[in-house]
Amino acid sequence: MPSSTARAERIVGTVTNAGNQPDLVGNRFPVADEIDAANCPVTGELPEGLRGTFVRNGPNPAFEPIGRYNALDGDGMLHGITFGDGTVSYRNRWVRSRGLDVELARGEAIYPGLGDVMNFPSRELTGDAGPVKNPANTHVIEHAGRWLALWEGGLPTEVTRGLDTVDEYDFDGRLRGAMTAHPRLDPRTGELLLFGYSLFEPYLRYHVVDADGTLSHSVDIDLPAPVMMHDMVMTEHHAVFLDSPFVFDLANLGKGPMVRWMPEHGARIGVMPRRGTADELRWFEIEPGHVQHFWSGWADGDRIEFHGCRYDNPDFGIDNTTELGQRSAKDHNARPARFWVDLATGTADWEPMDDLEGDFNRINPAYDGVSVRYLYMSAFTEPDRHLGDFDAIVKYDDELAERTLWSAGPSGHVGESVFAADPAGTAEDDGWLLNAVYDDDRDATDLVVLDARDVAAGPIARVHLPRRMPFGFHANWFPEARS
Ligand SMILES: [Fe+2]
């Protein structure tokens, strides 16, 4: 275990070249150090009500990867942009996982990537850090006063508001197994709904955490096969799961992708009362399709509805057999879709919402679990973009079936939009979208601020970060506590 002295020292990364790794090219290449910068320059006008911290998580390997590197493998790095009294500051910190601490002590990587994950380093090398690194690189949330960096293969990792790592967190020993990077926080009750999948039975566990942080309800759920399940849906009274046939196939390790699209397994939507038992879980067959991220779900009588970005045929390239230098992920992209379950007739179905390809879909979090009108998404409108390399921010008005969009242009690369509510607002879209946008031409990242009421107008302000922020995954807005 690390000493507190070691944690006080800043980490310096040692990756010096992309090493023929497609997932380290361009703005996928990590930054090498941890910095603090005050008074970031701002173009445009920052809204008076925008006070708090935007934090984005993403992979940033500290050491030269062993073998083939997939972006899912990299050590988590948190980038925090804090809006105060007309000033903006920036800070970035690695998540000091137990695995990274062992590698820091040795001065080199010892853990292979997910494509070779069963090739465990020896116990002599890892000590108590375990055979698999939990890089905590996917998301960051707050619940019951704790900030948690998340990775779906392991426990959450608690971090401070200053972005320093505390340790892995297991809800006082009550969380057995992994926790999704996409739990659902009920803004009305303060409860956190979450699940974890496993490669071994039970393949799925579901949990409810009370508003005070007590994990008070757990259910083991039978699935036909171990699947990569990334997100879930919450209504006011239901927990909803999509069991899609994106199957872990350990026997395929070394031969091809570790997670394979196997539509012959079929797909099912599971619906259960939020604090129900496994016996109360009902399954509804649906055409196979995979969803990484859902917007919101809600119940209208016997009908449960939700939206998500749906892949016909996902492949995220967790595959060590692809030659180095070649991209392993396939560009099968997701499109927005509407799903429903009819509890009375026992049927479920879906329909496409739009032809535009996109993902990283978000809503105003105050509307999670109830009917939403406004759906935000990152999308592809420029040619020759690969999986996850979005250029546009989209807003759907689901009531009027309208789409508005702002594109960052041919040299622009947008991340995930996070909704920051206007404290003086009352409407669902009274607030701002914050998005870290990288520009090839300047080799720089701006945190752009869009008025959520008028996305097509483009940024109302841009915070120029002190240096580029490598592409990453998910972000959240942590409003300043108000007394
Ligand atoms: Fe995600």
Side-chain angles (χ1 to χ4, degrees):
M1 291 298 297
S3 71
S4 54
T5 311
R7 283 179 184 236
E9 295 164 4
R10 301 270 72 93
I11 296 173
V12 177
T14 62
V15 182
T16 55
N17 64 72
N20 211 22
Q21 305 261 20
D23 277 7
L24 290 179
V25 169
N27 195 40
R28 290 174 177 77
F29 196 73
V31 291
D33 55 2
E34 301 175 307
I35 64 171
D36 293 84
N39 298 312
C40 300
V42 176
T43 306
E45 190 151 351
L46 290 175
E48 166 65 23
L50 187 65
R51 287 160 184 256
T53 301
F54 168 94
V55 184
R56 204 220 63 198
N57 203 345
N60 196 89
F63 294 103
E64 208 74 46
I66 300 172
R68 185 181 183 82
Y69 172 76
N70 184 300
L72 301 172
D73 300 334
D75 299 298
M77 178 174 275
L78 298 167
H79 302 261
I81 294 106
T82 298
F83 297 76
D85 284 321
T87 63
V88 186
S89 63
Y90 169 83
R91 165 177 292 188
N92 70 308
R93 294 288 185 272
W94 262 286
V95 179
R96 293 198 58 158
S97 66
R98 297 177 182 192
L100 177 56
D101 265 324
V102 170
E103 293 180 327
L104 286 166
R106 292 187 59 86
E108 62 180 356
I110 64 166
Y111 290 94
L114 289 173
D116 197 20
V117 69
M118 302 302 273
N119 189 12
F120 305 124
S122 71
R123 169 90 194 203
E124 291 81 67
L125 286 176
T126 66
D128 294 336
V132 177
K133 185 199 278 184
N134 170 359
N137 64 9
T138 313
H139 205 348
V140 56
I141 64 158
E142 178 174 8
H143 188 249
R146 281 191 170 81
W147 284 20
L148 301 172
L150 303 176
W151 177 69
E152 68 188 32
L155 290 171
T157 300
E158 185 173 0
V159 298
T160 69
R161 279 154 180 71
L163 308 183
D164 290 324
T165 300
V166 179
D167 201 351
E168 291 187 354
Y169 180 66
D170 64 2
F171 294 87
D172 296 324
R174 295 184 182 206
L175 179 60
R176 291 169 298 128
M179 171 172 167
T180 174
H182 292 284
R184 290 282 165 176
L185 174 62
D186 188 323
R188 291 160 298 279
T189 68
E191 293 169 292
L192 191 72
L193 277 54
L194 63 101
F195 66 91
Y197 66 73
S198 169
L199 275 54
F200 308 98
E201 292 183 358
Y203 294 135
L204 189 65
R205 279 199 172 115
Y206 162 69
H207 312 271
V208 182
V209 184
D210 300 342
D212 70 359
T214 306
L215 195 156
S216 58
H217 187 74
S218 294
V219 179
D220 291 354
I221 295 174
D222 284 330
L223 299 180
V227 294
M228 180 177 257
M229 185 184 290
H230 191 66
D231 194 0
M232 65 176 288
V233 174
M234 167 183 77
T235 79
E236 285 188 279
H237 302 291
H238 309 89
V240 182
F241 307 96
L242 174 61
D243 176 22
S244 76
F246 200 26
V247 181
F248 281 95
D249 185 0
L250 295 182
N252 207 45
L253 271 177
K255 302 174 192 164
M258 181 175 74
V259 191
R260 295 172 64 201
W261 183 240
M262 302 174 83
E264 63 273 21
H265 280 246
R268 310 174 301 159
I269 296 173
V271 180
M272 66 185 288
R274 280 170 45 158
R275 289 188 183 258
T277 63
D279 293 343
E280 295 175 279
L281 175 62
R282 293 178 64 192
W283 290 107
F284 303 85
E285 300 292 323
I286 191 166
E287 181 186 354
H290 182 70
V291 175
Q292 281 291 95
H293 305 111
F294 298 102
W295 276 285
S296 180
W298 65 94
D300 182 3
D302 284 328
R303 187 178 166 94
I304 289 175
E305 299 193 32
F306 51 95
H307 300 87
C309 284
R310 179 184 180 279
Y311 292 82
D312 286 325
N313 182 7
D315 184 347
F316 302 143
I318 306 173
D319 181 0
N320 261 16
T321 63
T322 310
E323 248 177 79
L324 271 181
Q326 303 293 312
R327 295 183 67 255
S328 55
K330 306 297 183 292
D331 290 322
H332 303 299
N333 290 308
R335 291 187 173 88
R338 183 179 292 112
F339 297 80
W340 61 91
V341 175
D342 188 323
L343 297 172
T345 62
T347 56
D349 209 346
W350 73 281
E351 64 182 11
M353 269 175 60
D354 193 2
D355 283 340
L356 200 61
E357 294 178 328
D359 207 308
F360 276 10
N361 32 304
R362 297 293 289 262
I363 56 169
N364 176 343
Y367 287 76
D368 204 346
V370 297
S371 175
V372 287
R373 176 173 177 179
Y374 301 114
L375 309 174
Y376 308 101
M377 182 178 86
S378 300
F380 305 90
T381 64
E382 295 286 339
D384 303 323
R385 293 296 178 113
H386 294 306
L387 183 73
D389 184 9
F390 308 106
D391 62 271
I393 298 172
V394 179
K395 176 187 183 182
Y396 289 104
D397 180 335
D398 201 41
E399 199 170 296
L400 300 179
E402 284 180 359
R403 179 183 87 196
T404 50
L405 176 154
W406 171 71
S407 170
S411 66
H413 306 263
V414 313
E416 179 173 62
S417 293
V418 171
F419 186 90
D422 180 347
T426 53
E428 183 184 327
D429 59 349
D430 280 343
W432 305 281
L433 299 182
L434 307 179
N435 196 311
V437 178
Y438 173 76
D439 188 278
D440 287 324
D441 292 343
R442 294 185 294 122
D443 189 27
T445 302
D446 292 341
L447 189 72
V448 306
V449 182
L450 284 82
D451 188 327
R453 289 154 285 215
D454 189 3
V455 166
I460 56 171
R462 288 173 175 269
V463 177
H464 305 292
L465 301 184
R467 61 141 178 246
R468 71 182 179 89
M469 180 194 295
F471 295 139
F473 299 127
H474 299 291
N476 254 325
W477 172 247
F478 302 89
E480 182 182 271
R482 285 157 200 282
S483 51

